[in-house]
Amino acid sequence: MKILHIDSNHDLLINQLNDLGFANHEDYTSSKAEIEAKISDYDGIIIRSRFSIDKAFLDAATNLKFIGRVGAGLENIDCNYAESKGISLFNAPEGNRNAVGEHSLAMLLSLFNKLNKADAEVRNGKWLREDNRGVELDGKTIGLIGYGNMGKAFAKKVRGFDVEVFCFDIKPDVGDANCKQVSLKDLQEKADILSLHTPQTPSTINMVNSAFINGFKKSFWLINTARGKSVVTLDLVEGLKTGKILGAGLDVLEYEKSSFENLFTSEKMPEAFEYLIKAKNVILSPHVAGWTKESKEKLAQTIVNKIKANFC
């Protein structure tokens, strides 16, 4: 079987697939049209996020048997159409769930202890102890939306704190010893902290809007290491301004990829984003929650294991 790799990954991915007898070809520079023109020669394709795999691409892939996505989300692939053509889909949320759990906790503790603000002040000669008095995580209630690989990893990380953890998920009976499943209404009634762990789907795009935010009984802290389009930035900023949202840790933004760089070169930066980058109660990172040295290896190994289980 011939596999085309269109994104670079950990070396073990190709090395182990070679050992299993697959023929591995690499093309990290050709355009989507050029890849589409030759994809009929291949039985499998390995991708991260270089381009979307749509119906036209899948129609051209007449011999394709599987798509391996070295990451968690599959929103850049027309999954229903691929499955209708008998193409297996392999993703790897098991590979970076621990990294996402750790990053989510790091963001939360940094917000609670004002670490980004205090660090900047000390570096600028300011020693403001009272102004940087923190908040303890113990005694808080954490609400998770989405309780799959990522949500479960985060719930496991906070197990050592004296906290209550609740989750809302569209799937029934996903709760476990680390987290009690509740209705969305109950979660909004109790949560001091909201952490998002959902894929990008039609139901999660723009999920966190003004109505959703104001549905919480208490002011709360927001952590988003899931998908940027789940949060309406204008409504998030309004929540921060009114104090309904006490602070936010955002690893993802609706302005990602090429549109993000343009924010700093265009004549007019969106006011909502300008507020975020200046806010002292907001921590931003460039979609790296699942992007560790260890996860790079584990993501690749997960894809190898799934291909091996299904095609060897």
Side-chain angles (χ1 to χ4, degrees), residues 111-124:
L111 283 170
F112 272 30
N113 292 284
K114 302 184 181 181
L115 292 184
N116 60 329
K117 173 179 176 293
D119 176 79
E121 289 172 353
V122 172
R123 291 173 188 272
N124 284 283

Side-chain angles (χ1 to χ4, degrees), residues 123-179:
R123 291 173 188 272
N124 284 283
K126 297 179 181 179
W127 193 265
L128 305 176
R129 296 186 68 211
E130 187 58 40
D131 196 49
N132 287 300
R133 191 180 288 274
V135 177
E136 294 183 14
L137 183 53
D138 273 19
K140 303 297 187 294
T141 298
I142 302 173
L144 312 180
I145 296 189
Y147 202 60
N149 281 282
M150 308 306 169
K152 288 177 180 176
F154 182 49
K156 184 178 179 181
K157 298 302 174 191
V158 299
R159 193 167 52 182
F161 294 87
D162 183 15
V163 294
E164 285 191 287
V165 185
F166 298 114
C167 68
F168 170 74
D169 195 289
I170 58 173
K171 295 180 180 179
D173 303 321
V174 296
D176 56 25
N178 298 324
C179 182

Side-chain angles (χ1 to χ4, degrees), residues 62-125:
T62 51
N63 290 305
L64 200 64
K65 298 175 179 62
F66 71 84
I67 301 169
R69 201 262 153 164
V70 187
L74 292 170
E75 62 266 24
N76 286 335
I77 301 170
D78 190 330
C79 297
N80 291 334
Y81 194 62
E83 290 172 349
S84 75
K85 296 174 75 69
I87 299 171
S88 299
L89 302 175
F90 305 131
N91 62 338
E94 305 91 338
N96 63 356
R97 59 190 175 191
N98 182 72
V100 171
E102 290 190 4
H103 195 96
S104 300
L105 180 57
M107 282 190 144
L108 182 57
L109 293 176
S110 294
L111 283 170
F112 272 30
N113 292 284
K114 302 184 181 181
L115 292 184
N116 60 329
K117 173 179 176 293
D119 176 79
E121 289 172 353
V122 172
R123 291 173 188 272
N124 284 283

